[in-house]
Amino acid sequence: MSRILVFAGTTEGRKVAEKISLAGASALVCVATEYGMQSMPDLEGIEVRQGRLTESQMEELMESEDFICVVDATHPYATIASDNIKAAADTTLMQYLRLKRETGSSSDYTRAGVHYFDDNESCAIALEATRGNVLLTIGTKELGIYTRRGSLKGRLIARVLSGSESIKTCESLGLGGRDIIAMQGPFSKEMNVAQIKDYNVTVMVTKMTGQAGGFFEKALAADEAGISLFVVGNPDYTEGMSFDQVCSRLTELTGVRIGRDRQFEVSVIGCGMGNEGSLTGEARAAIDDAQYIFGSKRLVDMYGRERQSFPFYKPVDIIQYLDRLSSSLADDTIKAAVLYSGDSGFYSGTGALIPALDEWKEEQRGRGTVVYIKQIPGVSSIAALSSIMAISYEDSRVISMHGRDQDAASDMSVVTAVRNNEKTFLLLTKPADFIYYGKLLTEAGLGDTKLVMGVNLGSVDMRLYARTASDAAQMPEDMEEGLATLYIYNEDPLDTSGFALKDEDFTRKEGIPMTKEEIRYVVLGKLGLKKGEILYDIGSGTGTISVAAAGISDDIHVYAIEERKEAADLTELNKKRYGRDNVTVVRGQAPESFDLLPKPDAAYIGGSSNKLREIIRGLKDKNREVRVVAGAVTLETLNSLMQVMSEIPYSSIDVIQMNIAKTETIRKYHMIKSLNPIFLAIISFVAEESE
């Protein structure tokens, strides 16, 4: 692609170059001064040349290659340069675009002490009738007009650019030392006030440079300091184009979108039950306002008939199309709506889309595009079904099975939730799942629970099914398709959630050890179990650690590994007593039993059968990031732990000793009785160093 020729001397000139580069186009930018060269950032596709050119030199440059056009972005007061650029463009038949800075007029700022002049000559003459120091902020080109007047000698302070060329000009006109302020703007009102006070200025001279040239900051500073402001009017041409107009013309000439900031408004909308009646007013307005509609085919067919619509609901597909719109020459403001059924913040595709949109938003920021993301809630299926049944749902357990595999782990989560909660809601993949969960609950001994399923809630073909779990299990499986939500009511839940269980709450058997209540709290705290994690309880004994850990969350799965039959049976008994369906009792030895189990996130070693070394190494082999807590009631076991850990590189062990004493009532007296002390070893493995 051919290049654009730009003559720059203003902030706008630099911005034009930045927009050209940002759009992937290329340009040759010519600046007259060293400062102009320094102020141009290093931009991809932009070549910068420094030096003043005559009209004939400009003609030669324009004929040296096939430029698309020439943009004159020189300073408003550089009238000679502009005349030369325009003349050279006319001679070479090159399209000429004059970027005109919006400098305003004398009517834009009026107050006592502000005086306007047509040119620098009349301003200099007026200064002779004043007293005190004069701060000149007009650049160096017309500085000689002021220094030639003898009555102003010793009163002038020139604020110029910090380049050596500017300072040399000042010195050649008799200014030096404290007469020169060499600084690069822009200057705030506060900086202007500080310089006025520091130099005892009584008059500030400025050009009508507009917002880009800092005119209003100077005017406000002069007002605050109580000094006169002399303003040299705008001598610039009457013809010219605004920044946006220049960018629009460059877009037309290059076929590449240049300069105009684009704005995206993306509304992520919950459409409720998929009918007009459940659509909120805010959602309706956002859909009506959108130019582009995305969503499932059902929602697109319903709401996107009169606008451009696409049956996309996956983030990658939506963002790919938004990217195409961003790089096109479409409208400056693009409004898109992404539609999801139900509530946009409740088990919807929003969970994946919003982070992807946030990432895309940052990418677009670098391309000069502003992206606004708005999430609009809708009526969820659970809210709709609860309304039909006239019940509250804030105290219910909610599980989404929509699109998930029905396997042992998910079945366990559902059964545990139903067993321990009065109200449970399931978001189903298909209506036939009503039968599946009827069978599952019946097999788990929960056949009397009541099931209510709503299909296509809020639509004209809405269907409701109400059965006990055992009755639902007998229904024919050829159910019509649709969006289904299931409510399960258990009138007699176990209500044993949590891990704060007392020792007397467990079934005990003589000869089978039990980790005591206070010790359990510390063990579970050190294990730091989180939702979705897997725990090995090695040597489960009575099962107190397994049952308590499983009570932290239904989504924690515990494998209670016990080699003795009577102990494994006792763990199973206590598991069933508290409805801990997320505990699996494994009858067998450790570490041999590890082979058929998923990798653990944490492990508690309550019993090792003299296989500490093999168990710890086996845990590390299963997961190098496993968190391990081991209990030891004898010094020999503790010594074995320390010896094993000393043999394993890249590992650490911290040991705490616990001495628990509890009150014991003997007749009318309360005695303190000590329990057997225990050592807890907290074990971790660190990443092996690379050689």
Side-chain angles (χ1 to χ4, degrees), residues 23-133:
S26 57
L28 170 61
V29 179
C30 298
V31 297
T33 64
E34 177 188 4
Y35 170 73
M37 187 76 173
Q38 292 172 348
S39 65
M40 283 296 301
D42 186 15
L43 300 171
E44 185 175 353
I46 305 299
E47 177 189 353
V48 184
R49 294 183 190 176
Q50 177 193 342
R52 299 186 186 277
L53 301 178
T54 64
E55 181 182 336
S56 61
Q57 289 173 323
M58 291 178 183
E59 289 178 17
E60 291 178 11
L61 176 61
M62 292 178 189
E63 291 176 336
S64 65
E65 65 176 274
D66 185 23
F67 291 109
I68 295 172
C69 64
V70 58
V71 178
D72 180 2
T74 57
H75 198 280
Y77 289 85
T79 53
I80 296 175
S82 284
D83 290 343
N84 288 340
I85 296 168
K86 189 173 188 309
D90 289 342
T91 301
T92 58
L93 301 179
M94 182 176 293
Q95 184 161 170
Y96 172 82
L97 307 179
R98 176 48 166 154
L99 173 59
K100 183 177 181 179
R101 174 184 284 182
E102 300 297 331
T103 57
S105 65
S106 60
S107 62
D108 292 334
Y109 188 83
T110 57
R111 72 164 179 83
V114 179
H115 306 277
Y116 290 90
F117 303 91
D118 291 334
D119 52 43
N120 286 284
E121 289 285 354
S122 56
C123 180
I125 293 170
L127 283 175
E128 291 183 301
T130 65
R131 294 183 179 182
N133 291 338

Side-chain angles (χ1 to χ4, degrees), residues 167-223:
I167 296 173
K168 286 178 182 178
T169 300
C170 290
E171 290 174 341
S172 69
L173 295 172
L175 300 175
R178 191 168 169 78
D179 300 334
I180 305 172
I181 302 175
M183 295 180 67
Q184 179 178 333
F187 298 96
S188 65
K189 180 196 75 173
E190 291 73 20
M191 175 64 79
N192 283 309
V193 170
Q195 291 180 352
I196 288 169
K197 291 180 177 179
D198 191 36
Y199 284 84
N200 296 316
V201 171
T202 59
V203 183
M204 176 186 280
V205 180
T206 181
K207 297 175 182 178
M208 177 58 79
T209 54
Q211 184 65 42
F215 170 77
F216 294 105
E217 286 78 6
K218 298 174 193 176
L220 291 171
D223 188 22

Side-chain angles (χ1 to χ4, degrees), residues 181-453:
I181 302 175
M183 295 180 67
Q184 179 178 333
F187 298 96
S188 65
K189 180 196 75 173
E190 291 73 20
M191 175 64 79
N192 283 309
V193 170
Q195 291 180 352
I196 288 169
K197 291 180 177 179
D198 191 36
Y199 284 84
N200 296 316
V201 171
T202 59
V203 183
M204 176 186 280
V205 180
T206 181
K207 297 175 182 178
M208 177 58 79
T209 54
Q211 184 65 42
F215 170 77
F216 294 105
E217 286 78 6
K218 298 174 193 176
L220 291 171
D223 188 22
E224 182 173 316
I227 68 170
S228 296
L229 182 67
F230 282 20
V231 183
V232 180
N234 181 10
D236 198 10
Y237 43 82
T238 56
E239 297 179 355
M241 304 169 73
S242 69
F243 184 83
D244 287 342
Q245 288 172 331
V246 168
C247 289
S248 294
R249 184 61 182 140
L250 290 177
T251 298
E252 294 172 4
L253 293 172
T254 60
V256 176
R257 183 183 178 86
I258 294 176
R260 294 178 297 163
D261 287 342
R262 168 165 286 157
Q263 179 173 302
F264 269 89
E265 297 177 11
V266 183
S267 297
V268 183
I269 302 172
C271 294
M273 299 301 96
N275 62 80
E276 287 288 342
S278 65
L279 199 65
T280 66
E282 185 181 15
R284 178 74 268 176
I287 292 173
D288 289 343
D289 207 24
Q291 302 149 289
Y292 303 90
I293 300 288
F294 301 90
S296 67
K297 186 177 186 305
R298 180 177 69 89
L299 292 175
V300 163
D301 289 345
M302 185 176 300
Y303 297 112
R305 288 188 295 270
E306 297 178 1
R307 44 190 62 80
Q308 294 190 61
S309 57
F310 307 91
F312 304 152
Y313 58 89
K314 294 182 179 179
V316 62
D317 296 327
I318 294 169
I319 288 175
Q320 186 176 26
Y321 197 84
L322 290 176
D323 249 342
R324 288 173 56 188
L325 289 175
S326 179
S327 60
S328 72
L329 301 179
D331 298 335
D332 288 349
T333 299
I334 294 176
K335 297 182 180 181
V338 184
L339 311 183
Y340 289 105
S341 60
D343 181 9
S344 60
F346 184 77
Y347 290 105
S348 80
T350 303
L353 178 63
I354 293 294
L357 282 175
D358 285 337
E359 186 176 335
W360 180 72
K361 175 180 177 179
E362 292 304 311
E363 293 175 1
Q364 292 300 307
R365 189 198 303 274
R367 302 176 188 173
T369 297
V370 180
V371 178
Y372 296 99
I373 303 168
K374 185 175 185 180
Q375 189 168 331
I376 300 176
V379 179
S380 70
S381 58
I382 288 178
L385 185 56
S386 297
S387 177
I388 292 171
M389 295 186 296
I391 63 169
S392 63
Y393 58 93
E394 74 274 3
D395 55 345
S396 62
R397 176 80 162 88
V398 179
I399 301 175
S400 176
M401 291 304 302
H402 186 75
R404 290 178 57 186
D405 292 334
Q406 293 166 330
D407 53 24
S410 66
D411 289 352
M412 175 200 70
S413 296
V414 171
V415 171
T416 300
V418 173
R419 197 185 300 279
N420 288 290
N421 294 276
E422 184 180 45
K423 303 173 185 176
T424 304
F425 282 95
L426 300 184
L427 304 180
L428 304 180
T429 300
K430 58 187 182 300
D433 291 340
F434 184 68
I435 302 163
Y436 178 87
Y437 288 109
K439 292 178 179 178
L440 177 68
L441 294 173
T442 300
E443 290 169 1
L446 295 166
D448 291 335
T449 53
K450 296 178 175 62
L451 277 58
V452 178
M453 179 175 68

